[in-house]
Amino acid sequence: MNINWYPGHMKKTKETIKNSLPLVDIVYEVLDARIPMSSKNPDIDNIIGNKPRLIILNKADLSNEEYNKKWEEFFYSKKIPTVFVNSLNATGLNQIIKKTNILIKDKMNRLQKKGVKNRPVRAMILGIPNVGKSTLINSLSGKKGAKTGNKPGVTKGNQWIKIKGNLELLDTPGILWPKLEDKDSALNLAFTGAIKDELLDIENLAFQLLERLIKIYPELVKTRYNIELENYSTYEVMEQIARNRGCILKGGEIDFTRASNTIVDDFRKGKIGKITLELP
């Protein structure tokens, strides 16, 4: 899947992030819990250097709980603090505050010894588009401090937001990387909506998503769409889904575009089930 998805403003975004790093005590790197590795921008490690970091695996309500544990063990083995959250219902947010205070305790103690007291903890939040950064900020702040949207790239510029627990967050636009060389990662990003749907062939995308789900979560597919999978090709399975969902055009022809949108939308909203697409 060849996708030209690197807008011109991304170079400026990277420069802005580098210039803002001295202003913060810790970096929050937000990943999609369904695709932790695919949603991790490899540039971020180089950008933030040795700055304390907390990885926040968002959308944990949509990911497989057993796989969540495996990813937690993986990051623990790398000595990278992590927390799983569902920013929509605020699950796990207290863990963010708790782990932040632990990670920057030494620095805050040094500031207090210098006579600097009650200074807010300052954090920068980073992540690729559509991992739920803005929703997470809104949940942490208890108000609509950041614009949100279901399309990647809603946040356009840096903005500070006051958070409970004496915390201030510097929001940044979603940061992409120039070239997607790994096909599976590109597909994972497309499946979850990190790449704008306008850049994609929705029927091809849904076909490849369905093919993947049949392979790793066959029972969830069968249950969601009340269909049979054995001895059926992916194309025939898609036909079954289309007929069961009434995706039929005049003359009885199957509306594959509508069926494709249904499958992709069901996956993104967790209607098929709790799904993680990759393991450590």
Side-chain angles (χ1 to χ4, degrees):
M1 179 176 284
N2 296 315
I3 301 167
N4 181 18
W5 80 319
Y6 192 73
H9 68 269
M10 281 301 153
K11 183 180 178 184
K12 184 179 178 182
T13 297
K14 287 173 68 173
E15 290 173 355
T16 302
I17 289 169
K18 287 179 182 178
N19 293 335
S20 301
L21 270 176
L23 304 175
V24 303
D25 307 304
I26 187 171
V27 171
Y28 293 158
E29 183 179 2
V30 185
L31 307 179
D32 188 322
R34 297 168 295 177
I35 52 167
M37 202 52 68
S38 295
S39 61
K40 181 173 174 53
N41 185 333
D43 290 346
I44 287 178
D45 291 345
N46 294 326
I47 291 171
I48 68 174
N50 295 321
K51 182 75 68 173
R53 167 173 45 172
L54 177 64
I55 283 185
I56 299 173
L57 289 135
N58 196 20
K59 306 190 180 185
D61 55 311
L62 302 175
S63 59
N64 183 286
E65 293 173 2
E66 182 183 342
Y67 287 5
N68 286 352
K69 292 175 183 176
K70 292 184 184 296
W71 277 108
E72 188 172 33
E73 291 167 2
F74 169 79
F75 285 115
Y76 180 80
S77 72
K78 303 289 183 183
K79 297 182 179 179
I80 301 174
T82 61
V83 58
F84 283 84
V85 305
N86 170 10
S87 54
L88 281 176
N89 68 7
T91 302
L93 299 189
N94 288 336
Q95 283 297 309
I96 294 176
I97 306 297
K98 182 179 178 181
K99 291 195 176 186
T100 297
N101 289 332
I102 292 171
L103 288 168
I104 52 108
K105 183 179 178 182
D106 290 344
K107 178 175 182 178
M108 300 311 285
N109 285 340
R110 287 196 300 270
L111 287 173
Q112 282 197 345
K113 287 178 182 177
K114 292 178 180 178
V116 181
K117 297 181 179 180
N118 298 320
R119 177 173 83 67
V121 175
R122 297 188 178 118
M124 177 190 291
I125 189 162
L126 296 177
I128 68 168
N130 215 37
V131 289
K133 290 191 300 108
S134 295
T135 304
L136 176 62
I137 291 168
N138 290 344
S139 296
L140 281 167
S141 64
K143 59 182 182 298
K144 296 210 170 178
K147 296 176 182 177
T148 62
N150 58 5
K151 291 186 178 181
V154 170
T155 308
K156 297 300 181 187
N158 288 2
Q159 50 183 325
W160 286 96
I161 298 108
K162 288 187 72 68
I163 304 296
K164 59 187 176 183
N166 199 31
L167 182 66
E168 289 183 355
L169 268 182
L170 176 61
D171 188 20
T172 58
I175 178 171
L176 309 174
W177 53 105
K179 192 175 180 182
L180 285 169
E181 295 179 343
D182 184 83
K183 181 186 175 184
D184 286 339
S185 292
L187 283 172
N188 286 339
L189 291 165
F191 294 153
T192 55
I195 300 171
K196 292 181 179 179
D197 287 339
E198 295 85 41
L199 299 173
L200 307 168
D201 176 345
I202 193 67
E203 291 184 24
N204 180 42
L205 184 70
F207 184 89
Q208 295 198 63
L209 173 60
L210 186 59
E211 195 168 53
R212 183 89 67 87
L213 295 179
I214 290 170
K215 185 177 180 181
I216 58 178
Y217 294 99
E219 292 305 318
L220 292 182
V221 175
K222 287 168 68 174
T223 301
R224 172 63 184 170
Y225 298 110
N226 191 28
I227 57 172
E228 294 299 322
L229 299 180
E230 290 183 20
N231 301 320
Y232 286 100
S233 68
T234 306
Y235 179 84
E236 290 169 332
V237 171
M238 188 174 272
E239 279 189 321
Q240 289 187 71
I241 293 172
R243 294 189 188 283
N244 283 5
R245 290 305 165 96
C247 302
I248 307 296
L249 297 167
K250 287 182 179 179
E253 186 180 346
I254 290 176
D255 188 343
F256 280 106
T257 300
R258 188 174 154 207
S260 298
N261 279 306
T262 296
I263 292 165
V264 172
D265 192 58
D266 282 354
F267 164 72
R268 291 177 180 172
K269 291 180 178 177
K271 292 181 179 180
I272 298 173
K274 293 181 181 291
I275 291 171
T276 300
L277 292 176
E278 57 188 8
L279 276 169

